[in-house]
Amino acid sequence: MEQTLSIVKPDGVKKNLIGDVIRRFEKNNLRIVALKMLRVSKKEAMGFYIVHKDKTFYDSLTSFLSEGPVVVMVVEGDRAIPKVREIMGATNPKDAAPGTIRADFGSDIEHNIVHGSDSIESASYEIPFFFSTLEIQ
Ligand code: UDP
Ligand code: MG
């Protein structure tokens, strides 16, 4: 069993895709074990994406993540980390496999609807960033 952090980013919330994202996880035998909607500040977004602090897109990405409400969730299941990444599709919607969330709904490499932890290490930073152990079922 693995746990991973997923986010419906501000563009996904605006496009009414919260249910669709959750549906795709659940259909693939993954369970939602924690869930909330919130708005992150620019500073919090910078902390969440600290691994990207030296990238050219860091400023733009962290402004985007803080521009509107997001839905954050902990998703659990067998191989949850790679499974969620597979359901999401490649970072750039143009490169994402047909039928993935990003291929179906993403607008461009930044506005790609959804986040998913990329490793056990990043999940163990990202899950407690948003949830206390008491909030995870
Ligand atoms: N991103 C961007 N420009 C890039 C690469 C990434 O704006 O050239 C954004 C995009 O929203 C992406 C996020 O930064 O989802 C984090 O990048 P990462 O490489 O970790 O992609 P992910 O793990 O989300 O597929
Ligand atoms: Mg990433």
Side-chain angles (χ1 to χ4, degrees):
M1 279 301 210
E2 246 172 35
Q3 288 185 342
T4 186
L5 184 91
S6 182
I7 306 177
V8 183
K9 296 183 186 181
D11 58 336
V13 173
K14 267 186 214 132
K15 290 179 171 175
N16 261 2
L17 294 172
I18 299 167
D20 201 290
V21 170
I22 292 174
R23 188 78 208 103
R24 288 174 189 229
F25 293 158
E26 290 185 334
K27 257 196 329 214
N28 283 278
N29 224 16
L30 296 165
R31 299 193 73 82
I32 310 302
V33 294
L35 178 75
K36 60 191 169 191
M37 177 179 269
L38 53 91
R39 187 159 175 175
V40 298
S41 65
K42 168 84 175 173
K43 207 172 155 185
E44 288 159 348
M46 289 170 77
F48 180 76
Y49 274 127
I50 195 74
V51 291
H52 292 312
K53 66 177 166 43
D54 298 323
K55 305 276 173 60
T56 52
F57 57 84
Y58 184 59
D59 183 55
S60 169
L61 169 64
T62 53
S63 294
F64 162 54
L65 195 74
S66 59
E67 81 181 22
V70 295
V71 170
V72 294
M73 61 190 112
V74 179
V75 181
E76 184 180 84
D78 179 43
R79 297 180 59 254
I81 295 170
K83 258 196 203 166
V84 163
R85 300 281 299 182
E86 211 177 294
I87 296 163
M88 282 165 41
T91 308
N92 191 338
K94 280 192 208 122
D95 304 327
T100 60
I101 295 169
R102 284 165 164 177
D104 286 350
F105 305 117
S107 319
D108 55 66
I109 193 166
E110 180 172 275
H111 304 94
N112 57 10
I113 311 289
V114 71
H115 168 85
S117 309
D118 67 3
S119 62
I120 290 172
E121 296 69 42
S122 58
S124 63
Y125 174 74
E126 293 174 358
I127 292 171
F129 190 92
F130 285 110
F131 296 97
S132 76
T133 51
L134 283 173
E135 293 176 306
I136 302 170
Q137 302 309 308

